[in-house]
Every structure is written in C-alpha cells, then in structure tokens.
Amino acid sequence: MTTRPYDNSARREAAAATRHRIIVATTELLAAEGYAGLGVMAVARAADVSQQTIYNSIGGKSALLKACYDVTLAGDEDEVPMSQRPEFSALREAGSADEWVERYAAWSRLLSERVHPILGPLVGLGVARDAGAAEFLTTIEQERRVGSTHAMTAFHKSFGLPDGLSLEQAIDICWTLNSPELYARLVGQCGWTPEEYQSWLAGELRASFLATP
C-alpha cells in the first residue's frame, strides 16, 4: 500500500489569506484612527477574525504594528530581505560614487514615503509612556542600523571614503540621515515635498562621503 504525502498547501494558503486580511485591517485602522486606535480587538472586528486568531497568526499590538510596517516598507508581503531587493541591488550597479548617492537618496525617499503614515505619528510619541511603541521603535532602529551598515560597507568597498572618515562613522552618518524623524520633521512638519527631501538627502550624503577634507 502506497502512502500519499500529506498536502497542506490549502492550509498554508488559508493562513496566508487570513494574515493578509489582518495586515490590511491593521493598516486601515492606523490610517483612520492612528496608533491610539489600534488594538487587537479592533483589528479582529475589522478583519472578521477572532482575537486568538490574531495572536496565533501575528501576535499582540506591537507585533501587528511591526507586521504592518514590514509589508508597507517592502511594498508587498514577499519574505525577501531589503538587501536582496532590486532597489538595493541597483546600488551595486552604480558606476560612480555620485550615481550611488543619487540612487540611495531616491531609494530612501521611496521607503520614507511608504512608512511615514505609520512612523510619522510615532516618532513624536513619548515612547516611555507606551511599551508597545517603544519595543517597535527599538526594533526598527536596529534594523535601520543593519541596513545602513550593508549600504555603507558596499559603498566603501566600491568607492572608498574620504580620508579621516572611518566606516563606522560613515554608518553613523547614513543611519542618522535616513532616520524617520528627519523625514517626519522636514516633510511632515516643515512642508517640504518628497522631491525636496530627496535632493537635500543627496546633498548631505555627497558632502559626507564624496568631499575631500
């Protein structure tokens, strides 16, 4: 008697569809109600699932926020690291340091535009008053640091750095310049256009990494 292998593809597809509904509901709640209106019960109602399903599929409030952020940042739900996506790969194809700076500024603007609706209200939130927001912001700061490290390590390998500037300092500068706080302040509060932000960022990166001391 031949035993057929168990096919659980239908179960995986159903779980993925449920997760998608939860993330969509979370995104819509954030847009409509802000972080204060986000909660497992509210998401469960909007996604038409039980609260336990949300905990099993994603987790609590901070996990919901992170899942929503990850999908929004990437632009899709594919589990492909940002460092392996075409926009980052294009940095490796830059023919000059100046071209690299322009591509990186455009990419940073794209990512900032995507996640600003989520991060804009949070970066001004007193994180000490909200453990969930603090946990989320700490996590994405660590992830941004990793991303900045990948970017500047590649830049250093291809084009070098000005005399007197260490790779660690270059990572510090990149990590600071691409911070959501700066985008929120310049675009969200000061009224800059995303195009103006991109131009400013390219200028700051150029001054930091291309200028000769």
Side-chain angles (χ1 to χ4, degrees), residues 23 27 30 64-75 115 118-119 136 140-141 143-144:
I23 290 175
T27 303
L30 280 169
L64 283 170
L65 188 60
K66 183 62 167 59
C68 178
Y69 170 84
D70 286 344
V71 171
T72 303
L73 181 71
V115 301
I118 298 173
L119 293 183
F136 167 70
I140 66 168
E141 282 298 286
E143 292 178 350
R144 282 201 316 105

Coordinates of all heavy atoms in Angstrom, one line a residue, residues 23 27 30 64-75 115 118-119 136 140-141 143-144:
I23 N -3.4 42.2 8.3 CA -2.5 43.3 8.0 C -3.2 44.4 7.3 O -3.0 45.6 7.6 CB -1.3 42.8 7.1 CG1 -0.4 41.9 8.0 CG2 -0.5 43.9 6.6 CD1 0.7 41.2 7.2
T27 N -3.5 48.2 8.8 CA -3.1 49.4 8.0 C -4.2 50.4 7.9 O -4.0 51.6 8.1 CB -2.7 48.9 6.6 OG1 -1.7 47.9 6.7 CG2 -2.2 50.1 5.8
L30 N -4.8 52.1 11.3 CA -3.7 53.1 11.6 C -4.0 54.4 10.8 O -3.8 55.4 11.4 CB -2.4 52.5 11.2 CG -1.7 51.6 12.2 CD1 -0.5 50.9 11.6 CD2 -1.3 52.3 13.5
L64 N 1.5 43.4 15.6 CA 0.7 43.9 14.5 C 1.3 45.1 13.8 O 1.3 45.2 12.6 CB -0.7 44.3 15.0 CG -1.6 43.1 15.3 CD1 -2.9 43.6 16.1 CD2 -2.1 42.4 14.1
L65 N 1.8 46.0 14.6 CA 2.4 47.3 14.1 C 3.6 46.9 13.3 O 3.8 47.4 12.2 CB 2.8 48.2 15.3 CG 3.3 49.6 14.9 CD1 2.2 50.3 14.1 CD2 3.7 50.3 16.2
K66 N 4.4 46.0 13.8 CA 5.7 45.6 13.0 C 5.3 44.9 11.7 O 6.0 45.1 10.7 CB 6.5 44.7 13.9 CG 7.8 44.2 13.3 CD 8.7 45.4 13.0 CE 10.2 45.0 12.7 NZ 10.3 44.2 11.5
A67 N 4.3 44.0 11.7 CA 3.9 43.3 10.5 C 3.4 44.3 9.5 O 3.8 44.2 8.3 CB 2.9 42.3 10.8
C68 N 2.6 45.2 9.9 CA 2.1 46.3 9.0 C 3.3 47.1 8.5 O 3.3 47.4 7.3 CB 1.1 47.2 9.8 SG 0.5 48.5 8.8
Y69 N 4.2 47.5 9.3 CA 5.4 48.2 8.9 C 6.2 47.5 7.9 O 6.6 48.0 6.8 CB 6.2 48.6 10.1 CG 7.6 49.2 9.8 CD1 7.7 50.5 9.5 CD2 8.7 48.3 9.8 CE1 9.0 51.0 9.3 CE2 10.0 48.9 9.5 CZ 10.1 50.2 9.2 OH 11.4 50.7 9.0
D70 N 6.5 46.2 8.1 CA 7.3 45.4 7.2 C 6.7 45.3 5.8 O 7.4 45.5 4.8 CB 7.5 44.0 7.8 CG 8.4 43.9 9.0 OD1 9.2 44.9 9.2 OD2 8.4 42.9 9.7
V71 N 5.4 45.1 5.8 CA 4.7 45.0 4.5 C 4.7 46.3 3.7 O 5.0 46.4 2.5 CB 3.3 44.4 4.6 CG1 2.5 44.5 3.3 CG2 3.3 43.0 5.1
T72 N 4.5 47.4 4.5 CA 4.4 48.7 3.9 C 5.8 49.1 3.4 O 6.0 49.7 2.3 CB 3.9 49.7 4.9 OG1 2.6 49.3 5.4 CG2 3.8 51.1 4.3
L73 N 6.8 48.8 4.2 CA 8.2 49.2 3.8 C 8.6 48.5 2.5 O 9.2 49.1 1.6 CB 9.2 48.8 4.9 CG 10.6 49.1 4.7 CD1 10.9 50.6 4.8 CD2 11.5 48.4 5.7
A74 N 8.3 47.2 2.5 CA 8.7 46.4 1.3 C 7.8 46.6 0.1 O 8.2 46.5 -1.1 CB 8.6 44.9 1.7
G75 N 6.6 47.0 0.3 CA 5.6 47.2 -0.8 C 4.9 45.9 -1.2 O 4.1 45.9 -2.1
V115 N 6.4 54.5 4.6 CA 6.2 54.2 6.0 C 5.9 55.5 6.9 O 5.5 55.3 8.0 CB 7.4 53.5 6.7 CG1 7.7 52.2 6.0 CG2 8.7 54.4 6.7
I118 N 2.8 55.5 9.0 CA 2.9 54.7 10.2 C 3.8 55.3 11.2 O 3.5 55.5 12.4 CB 3.4 53.3 9.9 CG1 2.4 52.6 8.9 CG2 3.6 52.5 11.1 CD1 2.9 51.3 8.4
L119 N 5.0 55.8 10.8 CA 6.0 56.3 11.7 C 5.8 57.7 12.1 O 6.3 58.1 13.2 CB 7.4 56.0 11.1 CG 7.9 54.6 10.9 CD1 9.3 54.6 10.3 CD2 7.8 53.8 12.2
F136 N 8.6 48.5 19.4 CA 8.5 48.6 17.9 C 9.6 49.5 17.4 O 10.4 49.2 16.5 CB 7.2 49.1 17.5 CG 7.1 49.5 16.0 CD1 7.2 48.6 15.0 CD2 6.9 50.8 15.7 CE1 7.1 49.0 13.7 CE2 6.9 51.2 14.4 CZ 7.0 50.3 13.4
I140 N 12.9 48.7 14.9 CA 13.2 49.2 13.5 C 14.4 50.0 13.5 O 15.1 50.1 12.5 CB 12.0 50.0 13.0 CG1 11.7 51.3 13.8 CG2 10.7 49.1 12.9 CD1 10.7 52.2 13.1
E141 N 14.8 50.6 14.7 CA 16.1 51.4 14.7 C 17.2 50.4 14.5 O 18.2 50.7 13.8 CB 16.2 52.1 16.0 CG 15.4 53.4 16.1 CD 15.9 54.4 15.1 OE1 17.0 55.0 15.2 OE2 15.1 54.6 14.1
E143 N 17.1 47.6 12.9 CA 17.0 47.1 11.5 C 17.6 48.2 10.6 O 18.3 47.9 9.6 CB 15.6 46.8 11.1 CG 15.1 45.5 11.8 CD 13.6 45.2 11.5 OE1 12.9 46.0 10.9 OE2 13.2 44.1 11.9
R144 N 17.3 49.4 10.9 CA 17.8 50.5 10.0 C 19.3 50.6 10.1 O 20.1 50.8 9.2 CB 17.2 51.9 10.4 CG 15.9 52.2 9.9 CD 15.5 53.7 9.9 NE 15.9 54.4 11.1 CZ 17.0 55.2 11.2 NH1 17.8 55.4 10.1 NH2 17.3 55.8 12.3

